Amino acid sequence: MNWDIVEGNWKQFKGKVKEQWGDLTDDHLEVIAGKRDKLAGKIQEAYGITKDEAELQITKFEKLNKDVPPKHLP
């Protein structure tokens, strides 16, 4: 998963992130704005986990969604 693409198409990816981490609020998602490091921090805050655990969860999320292009791309 290319985070430059995610950042540029954040509106399309927000739903996937929200599905994975339902405790993240819309405000969290606005702050994250497609930035991987901010996503990790907000996951840590929302779930009370370590940075390493948040990174592990994001890595798993990336693997599960590696072939998911934004809706407007082929």
Side-chain angles (χ1 to χ4, degrees):
M1 178 175 281
N2 182 326
W3 283 89
D4 290 331
I5 292 172
V6 172
E7 185 176 344
N9 297 284
W10 184 236
K11 288 183 181 183
Q12 286 84 9
F13 282 98
K14 279 196 303 189
K16 290 247 176 245
V17 170
K18 186 75 170 170
E19 285 175 26
Q20 181 71 35
W21 295 284
D23 286 355
L24 295 179
T25 66
D26 290 336
D27 287 341
H28 288 139
L29 295 174
E30 290 302 316
V31 170
I32 294 164
K35 304 256 192 267
R36 192 183 192 283
D37 60 330
K38 289 186 179 185
L39 175 60
K42 293 301 179 187
I43 292 169
Q44 282 179 262
E45 284 178 27
Y47 291 91
I49 60 175
T50 66
K51 180 178 182 177
D52 288 341
E53 178 60 28
E55 290 291 338
L56 182 62
Q57 288 185 19
I58 293 171
T59 299
K60 288 179 183 177
F61 175 78
E62 290 171 335
K63 288 178 183 175
L64 289 172
N65 293 284
K66 68 181 177 183
D67 297 325
V68 178
K71 290 179 182 173
H72 71 280
L73 293 178

